Amino acid sequence: MEITIKKIDTPKSHPDESNLGFGTFFTDHMFCMDYTKGIGWHDARIEPYGPFPVSPATMVLHYGQTIFEGLKVYKKEDGSAQLFRPRDNFARLNRSADALCIPNIDIEEAMQGLEALLEMDKEWIPSAPGTSLYVRPFIIAMDPYIGLKSSPIHRLMIILSPVGAYYPEGFNPVKIWVSPEHVRAVRGGLGEAKTAANYAASLYATEIAQSEGYTQVLWLDGVERKYIEEVGSMNIFFVIDNEIVTPKLNGSILAGITRDSVLKLARHQGKEVIERRISIDEVFTAHEEGRLQEVFGSGTAAVISPVGMIKFGDREITVGDGNAGPISSGLFKDLMDIQFGRSEDPMEWIVPVK
Ligand code: COI
């Protein structure tokens, strides 16, 4: 694939690495490629990062035909950099594309675009402890038309953002709120796709949770309102009776790549890990009986995030002593060690940045 390159005239100054937060700063360039029905993907290019003109009728603005991904580039101690499971992200982008009637991309072409962009903006990969370069590929429906149909024109873009911790809490435990009435997704809908609608559906309940002092919402299934699905920006794990349990994928839960990495890593370490349905009542009962040892979330942005408190109706529980437990702390360290190249990569997840 040929990539046209237009360099920025005046490179931007880099942000203070000790205060990056999440998703605020963007690098000098972005990758774009267009799709036109009957032609396919074309015009791969790297341009200066910045606003681009769209018609007010552009379909994505009205009907939300869009999908995205999130992955990271990690700087190693020797100064080189590496990606974590990037092809798995592009494969999931294609699964989301199927659900939203968006054309698939060629995974190797997307990798080529990402690698060319990283080559240009590699100076932006931060090296302060706990920082990384977040990669956000996304596809938007670009047809300027306001009738409802699947767009014949799309744009793939990849933007890069140097980031620190996703939650202001860092690795300190977050407090989560179980919504008794709001629903994020239902089976047969879009829950498994990484698409804007699922995140838009989460905003209202998240505002309620935050106004009550909680960081995120824990979603229950949309049919029985009983079984645990996921948390706002993460999948969720419980340690009960020394077993790691996470909700089994059912079509309305995002198939997290960090979720999959936690499962594989824990199994590789000989830990007992089970994917099954788990109800909120079971979690509260396990807590009452002293069997709930740890709760933690997983996600690219959030990495592994311990949960210290859960509120459901008028009941609130503190998990363990409210601090990160040994299993989540161990998995956090082991995963980060692989991602930052401090330890072996037994699963062959790492792709070096050239
Ligand atoms: C990620 O973890 O990469 C996500 O896409 C979640 C997003 C809400 C930041």
Side-chain angles (χ1 to χ4, degrees):
M1 178 179 71
E2 205 172 302
I3 304 176
T4 310
I5 292 179
K6 182 168 185 286
K7 278 195 177 166
I8 195 164
D9 292 333
T10 317
K12 295 182 283 203
S13 57
H14 290 207
D16 171 9
E17 284 192 10
S18 63
N19 203 10
L20 289 174
F22 183 89
T24 311
F25 303 103
F26 298 94
T27 67
D28 283 333
H29 298 93
M30 60 189 187
F31 174 80
C32 307
M33 179 156 70
D34 291 316
Y35 174 89
T36 308
K37 199 171 176 178
I39 298 178
W41 288 102
H42 58 91
D43 280 323
R45 58 199 183 275
I46 290 175
E47 303 173 351
Y49 176 93
F52 54 99
V54 286
S55 154
T58 303
M59 290 194 73
V60 65
L61 302 177
H62 300 270
Y63 306 121
Q65 195 184 11
T66 176
I67 51 177
F68 70 95
E69 273 303 319
L71 62 151
K72 283 176 174 170
V73 186
Y74 305 86
K75 180 75 86 57
K76 290 172 66 176
E77 271 154 21
D78 66 6
S80 63
Q82 53 187 32
L83 286 148
F84 185 71
R85 307 187 68 176
R87 289 181 173 80
D88 292 298
N89 284 92
F90 287 126
R92 186 175 61 183
L93 190 70
N94 277 343
R95 294 200 298 279
S96 301
D98 292 340
L100 272 293
C101 300
I102 290 174
N104 276 210
I105 48 153
D106 180 301
I107 294 179
E108 291 314 313
E109 285 187 358
M111 280 298 295
Q112 198 192 330
L114 172 58
E115 282 169 349
L117 181 62
L118 289 173
E119 170 71 38
M120 290 190 66
D121 281 357
K122 56 176 176 279
E123 299 306 323
W124 283 85
I125 307 169
S127 54
T131 63
S132 52
L133 186 69
Y134 186 79
V135 179
R136 170 57 61 89
F138 60 103
I139 302 181
I140 48 181
M142 288 293 285
D143 201 20
Y145 171 73
I146 53 167
L148 180 59
K149 64 165 187 177
S150 172
S151 176
I153 306 173
H154 296 271
R155 181 166 298 167
L156 165 69
M157 302 183 72
I158 305 178
I159 56 173
L160 306 172
S161 173
V163 297
Y166 183 70
Y167 294 119
E169 289 92 336
F171 186 65
N172 293 321
V174 293
K175 293 167 70 177
I176 57 178
W177 183 76
V178 186
S179 173
E181 57 181 302
H182 308 96
V183 168
R184 172 191 170 273
V186 285
R187 262 165 282 156
L190 294 174
E192 209 173 38
K194 210 159 170 62
T195 185
N198 293 327
Y199 296 82
S202 76
L203 298 176
Y204 184 68
T206 305
E207 291 229 327
I208 299 175
Q210 289 176 350
S211 70
E212 298 197 12
Y214 297 86
T215 313
Q216 293 262 314
V217 175
L218 174 71
W219 298 101
L220 300 180
D221 76 280
V223 179
E224 293 176 70
R225 312 279 180 99
K226 214 168 130 176
Y227 296 101
I228 293 169
E229 300 236 306
E230 62 180 82
V231 177
S233 58
M234 339 185 261
N235 293 110
I236 186 93
F237 290 79
F238 302 87
V239 184
I240 301 177
D241 291 330
N242 295 319
E243 247 173 35
I244 304 175
V245 185
T246 193
K248 188 176 161 62
L249 299 180
N250 61 359
S252 57
I253 297 174
L254 184 82
I257 288 162
T258 312
R259 172 189 182 276
D260 183 67
S261 307
V262 167
L263 291 174
K264 292 195 167 122
L265 198 57
R267 284 181 182 138
H268 179 77
Q269 295 172 344
K271 295 189 175 78
E272 203 61 55
V273 192
I274 299 182
E275 294 170 81
R276 65 167 169 84
R277 284 213 302 195
I278 175 164
S279 71
I280 188 69
D281 288 337
E282 180 184 341
V283 171
F284 274 68
T285 303
H287 176 263
E288 271 158 32
E289 294 173 355
R291 296 181 294 110
L292 178 68
Q293 296 155 274
E294 294 184 40
V295 181
F296 59 94
S298 70
T300 298
V303 195
I304 286 180
S305 177
V307 173
M309 274 186 180
I310 308 178
K311 169 101 189 272
F312 180 42
D314 53 12
R315 293 184 290 170
E316 182 175 60
I317 58 175
T318 299
V319 182
D321 61 3
N323 294 310
I327 293 185
S328 50
S329 308
L331 285 166
F332 177 72
K333 180 179 179 308
D334 296 343
L335 192 60
M336 297 266 285
D337 281 350
I338 295 175
Q339 291 173 331
F340 282 94
R342 295 188 288 255
S343 70
E344 288 299 300
D345 166 27
M347 316 305 170
E348 300 185 355
W349 284 332
I350 294 302
V351 174
V353 173
K354 289 171 207 145

